Amino acid sequence: MRNKGAVISILVLLTLIVMYYLSFSLKTYMVEKDANEQAIALADKNLGESADEDLRANFVDSVESAYLDSISGEVIYNFLGKHTYLDCKASEINLGLDLKGGMNVTLEIKAEDMVKALANDKRNPKLNEALTLAKKNREKGNENYVVLFVEAYESIAPGESIAPLFITPQNKERITITSTNEEVQKYLEEETQSAYDNAFDILRKRIDHFGVVQPNIQRDVAVKGRFHIELPGIKDPERVRGLLQGTAKLGFYETYEFAEIIGNLDQAERIIAKSLAIEEDVVEEENTEKVAEETVPELLAEDNIEPGIEGGLETEETTPAETSEIAQQKQYEEEHPLFFKLQPSINRETGQAAKGPVIGTAHFKDTARINYYLNMDEVKSVLPIDLKFAWTFKPIQNAEGGLMEGYYNLIALKETRKGGPVLTGDVVEKATRDFGNSGSAAAEVTMLMNSEGAKEWAKITENNVNRSIAIVLDGYVYSYPNVSGKIPGGRSSITGNFTPEEAEDLANVLKSGKMPAPARIISEEIVGPTLGQKAIDSGLRSFIIAFLVVLLYMIFYYNRAGWVADVALIANIFFIFGSLAAFGAVLTLPGIAGIVLTIGMSVDANVLIYERIREELAAGKGLKLAIADGYKNAYSAILDANITTLLVAIILFKFGVGPIQGFATTLIIGILSSLFSAIFITRLIFNGMMGKDKTFRFDTKITRNAFKNLKIKFLEKRKVAYMISGTIILISLISLTVRGLNPGIDFTGGRTYVVKFEKDVEVQNVASDLEDVIGERPMVKSFGGSDQVKIITKYKIDDDSERVDSEVDSLIYLGVKNNLPENASMEDFQSDFKQSSQKVGPSIADDILRKAFIAIGLSLLIIFLYILIRFQKWQYSLGAIAALAHDVLLILGLFSIFYSIMPFSMEIDQAFIAAILTVVGYSINDTVVVFDRIREFFKLHPKRNEDENINSALNSTISRTFSTSLSTFFVLLTIFIFGGEVIRGFIFALLVGIVVGTYSSLFIATPIAYEMMNKKNKRRNK
């Protein structure tokens, strides 16, 4: 083996890198496991083992979450640097929503809204007519909306200038009455693009405040103004919708000094304490369960929970002095509930309120409770009417200048008489990152206002000398600098110990005040944590079973050499998961299927090598030479087969989103990893074993003579195969014409809900109840059992108003309420019964359908060209494409015939398209191996006739085809049985694809290539 040292070096390096990245997942697992065990022990101590199951679960979740929040910024792992819990969490294997639960949202800022917002007269009839016409024309394709608008206006008002519609005091230097339509078009394109860029920054900042680990936001590369956002673990979709769809609001606020309102806050403190005391008395008398949940913070304090050395929870016995201190703390909390959670900004030397607008500091897990206190009606009555509170965007600094992760300041803002800021962000014309002249080289943001804003800014700063002015975006305070003097000219700087990147972000955020249009949710998917855990369990179970099946099969068929292949397969899995962690890729349920499919397909490389080695041994070569020649002769088929599958996977990755992209990611990584493992790792093991003079066999007594001396005349049976395939295809075409397919909402638009009940339900009754509430009858069908249903409706799918999604959620709850427990609330429905929901708007459904056709068409084209280049005969390409068309038609026909019969979902959705492309990849893999062997036989036996060479080549591949297809089929069958309802239709398509793909390689692709070559030869002979 050449370059043995280089291969070993690469293997060692890869192993170390993978171990490093996987170690973060292991560390977070250990910390969370320890926290969970200690929380359970605490529940046993305080609630007793006989407590209500839901009460215990809520208690354990509360204690565990509180603890993990408290250590989020602490270092828990010291290896190649200091890593906090959040660092480790961000670096662990990233689970998709279908495994973890959470929310997946696609937002869109409509270009027509942007253009209309930039106009100076939004009621202009010609403007609105042009906007409507441009929107209609855009539905025909994906052209630039601004170009379509200009063209529409010119067709409505020939010869008229567009400039008067868009001239404003803010842009008078860019557009004048003499500006051409081309100049106005350029201005509109620049403004809309700037708004899209700002929207991305705003949305990215917003999702950081959800407290979500591993959030993800991506621009849609195909559609401007469209964004895909994943928020794992989100349990409050209503809040997410509100925050994501709100228009960005930038404001400059005057502030209160803490000293000016400390007396009011003291009054508020007494009101809050009295109110809580009354509530506690009522709760203790009426609801023991609620008391247990509300007293979680007290139990934490009472049991003296502190971080352990390894990040666990420690429960210690308290001394009398400690007991007294705890009692004092509890008394202080009862008397001062606000300032117990909000550490007041007090000057330590004087004991007086510190100068400035900072009221106090709190950990983010306490901010919701503090907000609740300050928004109580009785509290508002004793506070100034113009007082408004807001939290800082960045965590506060510690004494060393670093950030105290998780701790934020509460700022006292002063609203105007009309409410709101003294100056809005509309006046900011320009904001750029800069560096101060103080010698600290700290990054800052320089902003320039328009003339009107500059005048107002001068007045505001003059009136607030030696006071702070707060810069607030979306309700968060980015900066509250102290004014040292009047600032004329509208130019000022914002400082705040920013890094260059943070200053750049803030500059973009400041400009975002000009974003005129809101983002609307056009697609949404919510997966409950219960369904996510079931998916993990079923996915892991199917993965382990399938993996064991493959390992045992390789040993059964290839004896001791099978053990070597198994080592390579285990290494393959190790590298796949390590690569997922290293690249931050998302592991989804289809991704697990992709990994398991990779296991089945990676067997193919080993099988190809082993079969060639067996042939060399049968030819009388020694073991060492047989192994060398076996590897050498197998390379061509291995590379061709895997490259074609890799090309399909890349197309899937390019055009897929969400789970489909996750499937493609794992498939790409798996193909590359399996190639390395099968070719290099097994070769290293064989070389090492031969160096120690060890012998081994590549077969067992049962498999030794399997498939030897086969003389099947495939070409003579091609007409029978044509008749069988033609009949099935005809039936499929008739069914597709008459019955059609069962398209999912991915391609039609609509909403789906998966709801699980505590008892079996009748789908007709559920549909009837929903019709009474909604006003139209949705489709309701059992989903995985009689106690679980899938609800499909198009109710208000064209409505893009901000509250429509929450409204539909409420109607679904009312419609199924008769089948829920008597006291089940809307919150109970969202958290305990709604397993998942999905919304796909009409516009994104059209895009998904378009991408699906592009992906399939592009896959077929690339495969045709690759085979043409590789085999240098168009007949091979035509045979391969004919076989692929055959496979796709058969699968479509099967889904058309049986979609209303099978006990699982056979919808045509994105997952089905992924299945079709995977079948295409697998089928072409098999076909290429067959073609490669035919090409080899023509070179080895040039004097034989074509029929004999082709038949001999096909017979020689039967052993490989049987092993690969059988192992892959059993792998997929395992997932189909144990993998869960969500993925069953997807896997069924793959199962069918394996069978028809293997059949078509032998009886469709090869015969058609043979027919075409024969015709060419006959024409040449004439």
Side-chain angles (χ1 to χ4, degrees):
M1 180 180 181
R2 296 179 181 178
N3 303 317
K4 179 179 178 181
V7 172
I8 293 175
S9 298
I10 293 172
L11 178 60
V12 171
L13 183 61
L14 283 176
T15 301
L16 292 175
I17 292 172
V18 166
M19 288 177 66
Y20 171 72
Y21 280 103
L22 289 178
S23 68
F24 291 106
S25 297
L26 179 62
K27 191 64 184 178
T28 53
Y29 169 77
M30 290 169 60
V31 170
E32 290 167 2
K33 181 174 180 292
D34 196 21
N36 179 258
E37 289 175 352
Q38 296 293 341
I40 291 173
L42 196 59
D44 291 341
K45 177 179 178 182
N46 291 281
L47 300 178
E49 296 184 2
S50 60
D52 178 75
E53 186 176 339
D54 290 336
L55 174 62
R56 280 178 56 82
N58 290 334
F59 181 90
V60 170
D61 286 344
S62 299
V63 174
E64 187 177 348
S65 298
Y67 170 70
L68 292 175
D69 283 342
S70 70
I71 67 163
S72 58
E74 294 185 12
V75 175
I76 64 168
Y77 188 36
N78 284 292
F79 182 69
L80 297 180
K82 295 182 177 181
H83 308 283
T84 65
Y85 170 72
L86 284 180
D87 293 335
C88 294
K89 197 73 178 168
S91 298
E92 70 176 354
I93 293 176
N94 191 2
L95 298 180
L97 299 187
D98 51 2
L99 297 178
K100 196 174 189 176
M103 192 172 184
N104 187 346
V105 175
T106 298
L107 292 156
E108 185 174 44
I109 301 172
K110 294 185 177 179
E112 54 263 35
D113 292 340
M114 305 281 287
V115 174
K116 187 172 185 178
L118 292 168
N120 52 35
D121 181 7
K122 298 172 178 55
R123 291 174 295 180
N124 185 295
K126 291 181 180 178
L127 168 73
N128 286 295
E129 187 179 351
L131 289 169
T132 303
L133 180 58
K135 181 180 179 181
K136 183 178 180 180
N137 291 337
R138 194 184 189 189
E139 292 174 356
K140 301 174 183 178
N142 228 354
E143 292 87 358
N144 186 315
Y145 180 84
V146 173
V147 174
L148 293 176
F149 165 74
V150 173
E151 292 174 351
Y153 193 87
E154 289 175 342
S155 67
I156 292 168
E160 281 192 25
S161 171
I162 303 177
L165 289 175
F166 296 98
I167 297 174
T168 65
Q170 289 78 27
N171 67 13
K172 61 184 179 181
E173 295 180 358
R174 298 187 61 188
I175 300 180
T176 66
I177 196 68
T178 60
S179 296
T180 65
N181 288 356
E182 290 76 15
E183 290 171 338
V184 176
Q185 178 181 313
K186 182 180 179 182
Y187 162 77
L188 293 175
E189 287 177 337
E190 289 176 352
E191 287 298 302
T192 52
Q193 184 59 51
S194 175
Y196 292 148
D197 293 339
N198 291 334
F200 180 81
D201 292 324
I202 293 166
L203 293 170
R204 182 164 53 83
K205 293 293 185 183
R206 286 178 178 180
I207 65 176
D208 287 341
H209 280 278
F210 289 136
V212 176
V213 177
Q214 297 174 315
N216 182 35
I217 176 171
Q218 294 178 326
R219 287 184 174 94
D220 191 313
V221 294
V223 182
K224 287 185 177 180
R226 185 175 291 176
F227 310 97
H228 303 289
I229 300 172
E230 279 197 358
L231 301 170
I234 283 293
K235 298 178 181 178
D236 188 359
E238 176 66 22
R239 173 173 171 258
V240 173
R241 292 169 186 148
L243 288 173
L244 290 180
Q245 293 186 110
T247 303
K249 294 181 181 179
L250 172 68
F252 300 87
Y253 283 83
E254 295 179 327
T255 61
Y256 272 102
E257 290 286 310
F258 182 28
E260 294 173 343
I261 58 172
I262 192 169
N264 304 80
L265 290 171
D266 283 338
Q267 285 182 267
E269 187 85 280
R270 290 191 289 273
I271 292 172
I272 296 168
K274 183 178 179 181
S275 176
L276 292 179
I278 294 172
E279 285 183 12
E280 188 174 347
D281 289 342
V282 173
V283 169
E284 285 180 356
E285 291 176 7
E286 297 181 358
N287 195 334
T288 305
E289 178 177 329
K290 196 168 183 179
V291 168
E293 293 177 348
E294 289 292 330
T295 54
V296 167
E298 285 79 7
L299 290 171
L300 289 171
E302 184 179 341
D303 283 84
N304 192 24
I305 296 177
E306 296 290 343
I309 295 174
E310 293 299 324
L313 300 175
E314 295 179 355
T315 305
E316 301 174 353
E317 296 295 329
T318 56
T319 65
E322 289 171 333
T323 303
S324 176
E325 183 179 348
I326 291 172
Q328 291 175 8
Q329 286 182 349
K330 191 168 184 180
Q331 182 180 353
Y332 180 82
E333 180 181 8
E334 292 173 353
E335 296 176 355
H336 305 278
L338 175 62
F339 286 124
F340 178 78
K341 294 185 177 295
L342 179 69
Q343 183 180 348
S345 182
I346 300 295
N347 188 309
R348 292 184 180 181
E349 296 180 359
T350 63
Q352 303 297 315
K355 179 173 172 53
V358 179
I359 303 301
T361 302
H363 193 272
F364 71 80
K365 64 185 178 66
D366 292 322
T367 56
R369 174 58 64 177
I370 294 168
N371 291 340
Y372 170 74
Y373 289 156
L374 295 174
N375 283 302
M376 294 169 65
D377 291 336
E378 305 94 318
V379 171
K380 286 183 176 180
S381 67
V382 299
L383 298 176
I385 194 170
D386 58 352
L387 174 61
K388 172 185 173 75
F389 296 103
W391 296 96
T392 54
F393 184 81
K394 282 187 67 175
I396 65 172
Q397 291 181 332
N398 57 28
E400 290 76 30
L403 295 180
M404 294 179 63
E405 292 294 342
Y407 288 89
Y408 297 85
N409 282 337
L410 184 65
I411 310 299
L413 308 177
K414 184 185 293 186
E415 294 187 308
T416 62
R417 290 182 180 179
K418 295 181 180 180
V422 290
L423 196 62
T424 65
D426 295 334
V427 301
V428 177
E429 279 193 334
K430 188 177 182 181
T432 58
R433 185 187 70 182
D434 206 344
F435 292 90
N437 299 317
S438 60
S440 64
E444 59 185 40
V445 176
T446 300
M447 59 183 178
L448 185 65
M449 300 177 182
N450 58 30
S451 57
E452 182 182 346
K455 292 177 184 178
E456 288 297 317
W457 186 241
K459 293 178 184 177
I460 294 167
T461 52
E462 185 177 16
N463 294 334
N464 286 275
V465 174
N466 294 323
R467 296 178 69 94
S468 294
I469 292 180
I471 299 166
V472 181
L473 178 75
D474 287 337
Y476 292 99
V477 178
Y478 273 72
S479 180
Y480 47 98
N482 192 63
V483 180
S484 56
K486 176 181 176 181
I487 304 175
R491 185 181 183 89
S492 59
S493 297
I494 306 171
T495 59
N497 194 33
F498 299 123
T499 65
E501 293 77 15
E502 289 170 338
E504 183 72 36
D505 289 345
L506 181 52
N508 289 330
V509 166
L510 285 173
K511 290 184 288 187
S512 71
K514 296 159 61 177
M515 187 176 81
R520 294 301 182 206
I521 292 176
I522 59 173
S523 173
E524 172 187 289
E525 182 181 10
I526 302 170
V527 179
T530 303
L531 189 63
Q533 188 59 49
K534 287 182 180 177
I536 291 176
D537 295 341
S538 60
L540 186 61
R541 183 168 56 246
S542 65
F543 174 81
I544 292 172
I545 295 172
F547 193 49
L548 289 174
V549 167
V550 173
L551 294 179
L552 292 173
Y553 177 79
M554 292 302 289
I555 296 169
F556 161 76
Y557 202 90
Y558 291 107
N559 205 332
R560 194 171 180 183
W563 286 98
V564 178
D566 288 349
V567 171
L569 287 174
I570 293 170
N572 186 23
I573 297 301
F574 175 70
F575 289 136
I576 289 173
F577 280 100
S579 299
L580 288 172
F583 292 122
V586 179
L587 179 62
T588 61
L589 194 58
I592 290 178
I595 293 174
V596 179
L597 183 62
T598 299
I599 294 170
M601 294 177 67
S602 66
V603 170
D604 189 45
N606 289 115
V607 169
L608 283 168
I609 293 168
Y610 287 1
E611 289 301 316
R612 296 309 295 253
I613 292 174
R614 287 171 64 168
E615 289 179 13
E616 302 300 335
L617 289 171
K621 294 182 181 180
L623 181 60
K624 188 173 183 180
L625 182 59
I627 289 175
D629 287 348
Y631 272 90
K632 183 174 66 176
N633 294 330
Y635 285 155
S636 176
I638 291 172
L639 291 176
D640 285 337
N642 281 277
I643 287 173
T644 50
T645 309
L646 183 63
L647 289 172
V648 173
I650 291 172
I651 293 169
L652 263 179
F653 181 83
K654 175 69 176 176
F655 291 97
V657 293
I660 305 309
Q661 201 170 64
F663 172 79
T665 301
T666 55
L667 195 58
I668 291 169
I669 292 172
I671 289 170
L672 297 175
S673 176
S674 63
L675 275 173
F676 178 79
S677 302
I679 293 175
F680 295 109
I681 294 180
T682 56
R683 188 70 185 277
L684 283 174
I685 295 173
F686 284 136
N687 285 352
M689 294 173 71
M690 286 186 295
K692 296 179 181 179
D693 295 327
K694 293 185 177 181
T695 60
F696 41 86
R697 300 193 64 88
F698 286 83
D699 54 30
T700 64
K701 289 182 179 179
I702 299 174
T703 62
R704 188 160 300 156
N705 296 312
F707 305 105
K708 280 190 176 182
N709 303 317
L710 287 175
K711 293 183 180 179
I712 302 172
K713 295 183 178 181
F714 288 95
L715 293 180
E716 291 182 8
K717 303 179 186 298
R718 67 184 186 279
K719 292 184 180 180
V720 176
Y722 292 162
M723 291 179 61
I724 294 172
S725 293
T727 303
I728 297 174
I729 288 174
L730 181 62
I731 295 171
S732 296
L733 290 173
I734 292 173
S735 179
L736 287 168
T737 303
V738 177
R739 280 174 55 84
L741 294 164
N742 180 26
I745 66 168
D746 285 356
F747 298 129
T748 62
R751 304 173 193 269
T752 65
Y753 293 81
V754 175
V755 182
K756 186 173 180 63
F757 302 97
E758 292 183 343
K759 56 184 179 181
D760 291 350
V761 295
E762 292 291 335
V763 293
Q764 296 302 322
N765 294 340
V766 174
S768 178
D769 290 344
L770 285 165
E771 185 179 16
D772 292 341
V773 174
I774 297 176
E776 59 183 53
R777 194 176 185 87
M779 182 185 296
V780 181
K781 50 189 176 183
S782 295
F783 190 74
S786 299
D787 61 342
Q788 186 167 269
V789 299
K790 188 172 189 178
I791 302 165
I792 304 171
T793 177
K794 289 192 175 184
Y795 179 71
K796 288 195 173 182
I797 194 62
D798 294 314
D799 188 340
D800 62 356
S801 61
E802 188 174 336
R803 299 291 301 169
V804 67
D805 296 316
S806 301
E807 176 191 337
V808 177
D809 279 0
S810 299
L811 291 175
I812 296 295
Y813 158 67
L814 293 173
V816 302
K817 192 174 181 180
N818 290 339
N819 294 289
L820 299 177
E822 185 176 350
N823 297 320
S825 64
M826 176 66 181
E827 291 72 22
D828 295 330
F829 169 70
Q830 294 276 19
S831 61
D832 299 334
F833 299 98
K834 188 178 81 172
Q835 302 294 293
S836 67
S837 65
Q838 186 180 11
K839 166 194 171 183
V840 178
S843 62
I844 200 166
D846 292 340
D847 287 343
I848 291 172
L849 187 61
R850 178 177 57 83
K851 285 182 177 180
F853 280 116
I854 291 173
I856 292 175
L858 195 57
S859 297
L860 296 177
L861 176 62
I862 287 177
I863 287 169
F864 181 90
L865 293 175
Y866 179 82
I867 294 177
L868 179 63
I869 294 169
R870 195 74 178 86
F871 291 89
Q872 298 181 350
K873 284 189 177 183
W874 62 267
Q875 292 90 343
Y876 284 123
S877 294
L878 183 63
I881 295 301
L884 295 180
H886 165 274
D887 299 344
V888 171
L889 277 174
L890 286 185
I891 296 172
L892 287 173
L894 203 63
F895 270 65
S896 174
I897 295 168
F898 292 106
Y899 72 75
S900 60
I901 300 172
M902 290 292 188
F904 52 85
S905 174
M906 296 183 74
E907 289 183 352
I908 307 301
D909 53 16
Q910 287 191 85
F912 178 80
I913 298 302
I916 288 291
L917 288 178
T918 304
V919 169
V920 166
Y922 182 87
S923 179
I924 200 64
N925 180 308
D926 203 46
T927 302
V928 165
V929 170
V930 170
F931 283 174
D932 187 82
R933 203 61 191 265
I934 293 172
R935 179 178 58 180
E936 182 183 352
F937 268 63
F938 276 130
K939 289 179 180 179
L940 291 174
H941 311 288
K943 295 184 179 181
R944 284 185 187 174
N945 61 47
E946 288 184 348
D947 295 42
E948 188 177 355
N949 268 329
I950 292 175
N951 281 327
S952 298
L954 294 179
N955 279 293
S956 70
T957 63
I958 291 296
S959 178
R960 169 262 165 199
T961 300
F962 174 82
S963 292
T964 300
S965 299
L966 186 67
S967 58
T968 307
F969 183 86
F970 275 112
V971 164
L972 292 171
L973 184 63
T974 302
I975 307 174
F976 180 78
I977 296 171
F978 299 103
E981 183 65 30
V982 177
I983 204 172
R984 197 154 282 152
F986 171 78
I987 297 300
F988 181 74
L990 293 182
L991 277 169
V992 175
I994 294 300
V995 175
V996 299
T998 303
Y999 161 82
S1000 66
S1001 298
L1002 299 171
F1003 292 100
I1004 302 296
T1006 303
I1008 287 179
Y1010 167 77
E1011 303 270 17
M1012 294 298 104
M1013 284 189 285
N1014 258 358
K1015 284 184 180 180
K1016 182 178 179 182
N1017 291 335
K1018 287 178 181 178
R1019 284 196 302 268
R1020 185 182 299 168
N1021 292 333
K1022 287 181 180 179

